[in-house]
Amino acid sequence: MPTVGLLTLEIYVPGVTSLKEKRGIVKALIARIRHEFNVSVAEVDDYDQLGHAVLAVAAVSASKDYVYGLLQQVAETVARWRLDAELVDYTIELL
């Protein structure tokens, strides 16, 4: 039975002065996550709030342990990337 994992990332984007600037930072972060981990990523909340974004990352595998480990690795890596965005909190759900 396949396992679907969902990682929700709460991101703080300091110092932005416009939604256009925020979206540029968030778009680059989404592209980097997709490229590094081959997962699905989308901004899912707080579209119109300066300085805050919520991203959802999804992965599917036959192994629960693999999916959980992959999503944990995504969260830890995003927290270490010293980009224009800072990881505030995250949750992992297995469906």
Side-chain angles (χ1 to χ4, degrees):
M1 183 71 134
T3 298
V4 177
L6 178 64
L7 167 65
T8 304
L9 300 168
E10 292 185 39
I11 305 292
Y12 173 59
V13 188
V16 294
T17 57
S18 70
L19 289 175
K20 183 177 181 180
E21 184 180 3
K22 174 197 161 189
R23 287 189 181 114
I25 292 168
V26 170
K27 186 176 178 179
L29 179 59
I30 288 171
R32 186 166 181 192
I33 293 169
R34 283 184 181 145
H35 177 75
E36 295 280 331
F37 296 99
N38 193 26
V39 292
S40 296
V41 187
E43 185 176 6
V44 295
D45 203 2
D46 294 343
Y47 308 103
D48 295 328
Q49 284 191 348
L50 285 179
H52 192 256
V54 179
L55 304 181
V57 180
V60 179
S61 176
S63 167
K64 282 184 180 181
D65 292 337
Y66 176 78
V67 169
Y68 188 85
L70 174 63
L71 295 177
Q72 183 74 39
Q73 185 180 9
V74 171
E76 290 171 359
T77 302
V78 168
R80 282 194 312 267
W81 281 342
R82 300 169 59 99
L83 302 173
D84 295 340
E86 178 182 322
L87 180 64
V88 174
D89 195 15
Y90 70 92
T91 57
I92 296 175
E93 299 175 63
L94 299 179
L95 312 170

